[in-house]
Amino acid sequence: DAGITQSPRHKVTETGTPVTLRCHQTENHRYMYWYRQDPGHGLRLIHYSYGVKDTDKGEVSDGYSVSRSKTEDFLLTLESATSSQTSVYFCAISRKLDQPQHFGDGTRLSIL
Amino acid sequence: SQQGEEDPQALSIQEGENATMNCSYKTSINNLQWYRQNSGRGLVHLILIRSNEREKHSGRLRVTLDTSKKSSSLLITASRAADTASYFCASDGETSGSRLTFGEGTQLTVNP
């Protein structure tokens, strides 16, 4: 398995609190992605990164921000969590944009 | 709207039978990928087929691509109980800048 670690794996928090999810890779892949998975919607891209400090928005970026200060780490932040952001969040990596992606095992986030 | 849509949403078969899942997409693509997801885990890449390819094999997997119909199919031959999982197609439409768009998946259950 590709070396991808997501933390935490589970989190329960309250509406209005800030939340940061971390994705760490040991593969030195250039591209990193954050997706959310919800019933009836499949996986939807939130943000992705194409290098250190280089990020771009995905399909559902509102309410989320990201940062990548090192090749191996990609952080997803919910500045003020809302119940609609309850979801399972997946990080993925790839060497190139059109290459297969390797996924972490996800973070289950519940916002009450 | 979803770039990729799988059909059927759920499929239940007996061990040893073949399983066929279909995927349709809306815009022209560069390539199409299939992924598998076991319950509670991240997605695992199975196979990538490029827009200029019509068929590709990998072990018990056979993928076809019909760009004129904007559709693809995944065939799993001689299925096993361990094949039980959700299967997703993902396409990189020309309008999405090579970023992947995932369908909602087919839940395959293989009964022993």
Side-chain angles (χ1 to χ4, degrees):
Chain A
D1 290 347
I4 309 170
T5 305
Q6 291 187 232
S7 59
R9 292 295 315 279
H10 302 271
K11 186 173 182 66
V12 180
T13 190
E14 294 183 348
T15 300
T17 59
V19 177
T20 295
L21 308 183
R22 180 181 183 239
C23 178
H24 179 78
Q25 63 146 328
T26 59
E27 305 296 319
N28 200 35
H29 282 12
R30 178 182 177 187
Y31 289 86
M32 298 186 75
Y33 313 82
W34 277 107
Y35 293 91
R36 59 179 290 175
Q37 185 175 34
D38 304 287
H41 290 281
L43 269 79
R44 292 180 291 175
L45 181 65
I46 303 171
H47 283 280
Y48 72 103
S49 169
Y50 48 97
V52 174
K53 291 187 171 58
D54 293 324
T55 64
D56 203 353
K57 295 179 180 180
E59 181 186 353
V60 289
S61 60
D62 287 350
Y64 302 94
S65 62
V66 291
S67 65
R68 191 171 179 195
S69 59
K70 298 185 290 183
T71 298
E72 56 266 34
D73 289 327
F74 193 32
L75 304 181
L76 177 70
T77 297
L78 292 66
E79 299 290 348
S80 178
T82 68
S83 59
S84 65
Q85 294 175 312
T86 291
S87 186
V88 181
Y89 291 85
F90 287 97
C91 174
I93 63 174
S94 69
R95 291 189 184 280
K96 296 181 180 180
L97 199 54
D98 63 349
Q99 293 293 299
Q101 295 182 15
H102 305 282
F103 284 77
D105 279 337
T107 294
R108 186 171 295 275
L109 178 63
S110 296
I111 301 164
L112 308 177
Chain B
S1 61
Q2 289 288 335
Q3 168 72 336
E5 296 182 1
E6 286 93 344
D7 169 55
Q9 288 188 326
L11 180 61
S12 182
I13 59 174
Q14 298 298 123
E15 254 188 337
E17 293 180 341
N18 295 342
T20 299
M21 289 160 271
N22 303 296
C23 168
S24 61
Y25 56 91
K26 294 182 172 62
T27 65
S28 297
I29 62 171
N30 296 312
N31 65 59
L32 187 138
Q33 303 180 38
W34 284 90
Y35 288 80
R36 164 194 170 128
Q37 183 181 32
N38 287 82
S39 181
R41 302 297 301 275
L43 278 70
V44 174
H45 178 260
L46 295 176
I47 199 164
L48 180 153
I49 186 165
R50 301 205 178 276
S51 60
N52 61 354
E53 297 176 309
R54 291 298 168 257
E55 187 171 312
K56 205 161 183 179
H57 296 255
S58 177
R60 293 184 296 112
L61 306 180
R62 171 177 170 251
V63 168
T64 61
L65 180 64
D66 187 334
T67 53
S68 66
K69 295 181 179 178
K70 292 186 170 59
S71 66
S72 174
S73 67
L74 170 66
L75 168 67
I76 303 174
T77 60
S79 63
R80 306 165 181 168
D83 293 328
T84 294
S86 292
Y87 291 82
F88 295 86
C89 69
S91 55
D92 62 343
E94 291 179 351
T95 58
S96 66
S98 293
R99 291 169 296 178
L100 289 182
T101 301
F102 287 82
E104 295 178 25
T106 293
Q107 172 61 52
L108 173 66
T109 302
V110 182
N111 301 299

